[in-house]
Amino acid sequence: MAGQRAVVTGAARGIGSRIAVELALAGAHVTVLDLHDPADTVAEITKLGGSAAGLRADITDREGIAAAIAEAAGPQQRLDTLVTCAAVYGDTVAIDDLPESEVDFVLGVNVKGTLWCIKSALPFLRGHDSRVVCIGSVAGKVGGVLAGPHYVASKGAVHAVVKWLAKTEARNGVLANAVAPGVVDTEMVRDKGYSENYNPLGRLARAEEIARVAAFLASPAASYMTGTVVDVNGGYAMG
């Protein structure tokens, strides 16, 4: 991916940070975009000999994210990869206790935020071989009781957007795929009380294990893949 330009949202920490590092190690210049301070991820990439810049932006702010992605596209106004990883989980699992404000928040970040990122990036992705990789979830494919219905709905929507994008943008050179992780050992889930025995492997995923799959989908090796949701869940859900 030498010479390519990539944007990774939600890349200040967690899965997004690991994806940014993987893309940088593959040779891409990575814009680390997050609502939180991206300095630590940028510093790690620089220490490893990679190229990165950090931008703070709220993906639910349509105008703000458009400006940030345009800045990331650089003087040539070109992007090769967009990875949408920024997401929130929500605190409520049972629908009986679900407040409307939390539904609006989770759907606003996970669905609308993803749409605004894609909308903003497409003008810079079209017309050459490029990639969109969205981080979904096994919950968006099979449901389950580990997450609330709003989170499940939001990740199912992300998968649907990827399929729509694959069909509508293939002739413009844009390939779109998603990764559907199982439970990953990140700050977002450590306090949720997940059992490490929830899947056949008997452990939570490491963030870098998800990142490597995302990096593959962003690479030339995935040149004939589009509209695919790749399961990375330790055997929790198959097929």
Side-chain angles (χ1 to χ4, degrees), residues 210-237:
I210 311 304
R212 292 177 193 134
V213 178
F216 161 74
L217 292 172
S219 78
S223 59
Y224 203 64
M225 291 181 66
T226 195
T228 301
V229 180
V230 180
D231 293 319
V232 190
N233 60 51
Y236 174 75

Side-chain angles (χ1 to χ4, degrees), residues 138 146 181-185 189 194 198-199 203-206 232-233:
V138 66
L146 298 179
V183 182
V184 183
D185 185 15
V189 303
Y194 292 115
Y198 88 104
N199 67 36
R203 65 175 177 84
L204 305 184
R206 298 186 296 273
V232 190
N233 60 51

Side-chain angles (χ1 to χ4, degrees), residues 12-15 17 36 40 89 184-194 204-205 207:
R13 56 193 180 186
I15 297 171
S17 176
H36 304 284
D40 287 346
Y89 196 79
V184 183
D185 185 15
T186 64
E187 286 184 37
M188 193 167 75
V189 303
R190 280 178 195 140
D191 296 331
K192 301 295 182 181
Y194 292 115
L204 305 184

Side-chain angles (χ1 to χ4, degrees), residues 159 162-163 166-167 175-178 225-229:
H159 300 165
V162 162
K163 293 176 184 294
K167 289 187 175 181
L175 304 184
N177 295 285
M225 291 181 66
T226 195
T228 301
V229 180

Side-chain angles (χ1 to χ4, degrees), residues 99-110:
E100 184 175 359
S101 59
E102 187 176 315
V103 174
D104 291 342
F105 176 58
V106 171
L107 295 181
V109 175
N110 296 359

Side-chain angles (χ1 to χ4, degrees), residues 2-16:
Q4 295 190 11
R5 299 186 74 89
V7 174
V8 184
T9 72
R13 56 193 180 186
I15 297 171

Side-chain angles (χ1 to χ4, degrees), residues 8-229:
V8 184
T9 72
R13 56 193 180 186
I15 297 171
S17 176
R18 295 308 92 201
I19 293 171
V21 170
E22 289 289 335
L23 296 183
L25 291 176
H29 171 78
V30 181
T31 296
V32 179
L33 196 153
D34 204 300
L35 182 64
H36 304 284
D37 188 354
D40 287 346
T41 303
V42 172
E44 180 180 356
I45 290 171
T46 302
K47 185 177 180 179
L48 291 170
S51 175
L55 287 175
R56 296 187 73 165
D58 181 350
I59 65 170
T60 66
D61 175 2
R62 186 168 55 176
E63 293 183 359
I65 197 63
I69 288 179
E71 181 177 345
Q76 295 183 337
Q77 292 294 274
R78 170 185 170 126
L79 290 175
D80 300 283
T81 299
L82 168 70
V83 180
T84 65
C85 192
V88 293
Y89 196 79
D91 295 323
T92 308
V93 173
I95 196 167
D96 295 340
D97 304 322
L98 191 59
E100 184 175 359
S101 59
E102 187 176 315
V103 174
D104 291 342
F105 176 58
V106 171
L107 295 181
V109 175
N110 296 359
V111 182
K112 289 177 67 175
T114 297
L115 286 172
W116 298 150
C117 291
I118 292 169
K119 180 180 185 294
S120 299
L122 275 176
F124 310 113
L125 293 164
R126 289 175 174 144
H128 56 277
D129 184 26
S130 63
R131 307 281 191 272
V132 174
V133 180
C134 296
I135 305 303
S137 171
V138 66
K141 297 190 72 174
V142 302
V145 297
L146 298 179
H150 50 330
Y151 179 81
V152 170
S154 74
K155 289 301 187 175
V158 168
H159 300 165
V161 167
V162 162
K163 293 176 184 294
W164 172 87
L165 187 63
K167 289 187 175 181
T168 58
E169 293 294 332
R171 298 300 174 91
N172 292 321
V174 183
L175 304 184
N177 295 285
V179 181
V183 182
V184 183
D185 185 15
T186 64
E187 286 184 37
M188 193 167 75
V189 303
R190 280 178 195 140
D191 296 331
K192 301 295 182 181
Y194 292 115
S195 168
E196 293 192 349
N197 294 315
Y198 88 104
N199 67 36
L201 288 183
R203 65 175 177 84
L204 305 184
R206 298 186 296 273
E208 58 267 27
E209 292 176 306
I210 311 304
R212 292 177 193 134
V213 178
F216 161 74
L217 292 172
S219 78
S223 59
Y224 203 64
M225 291 181 66
T226 195
T228 301
V229 180

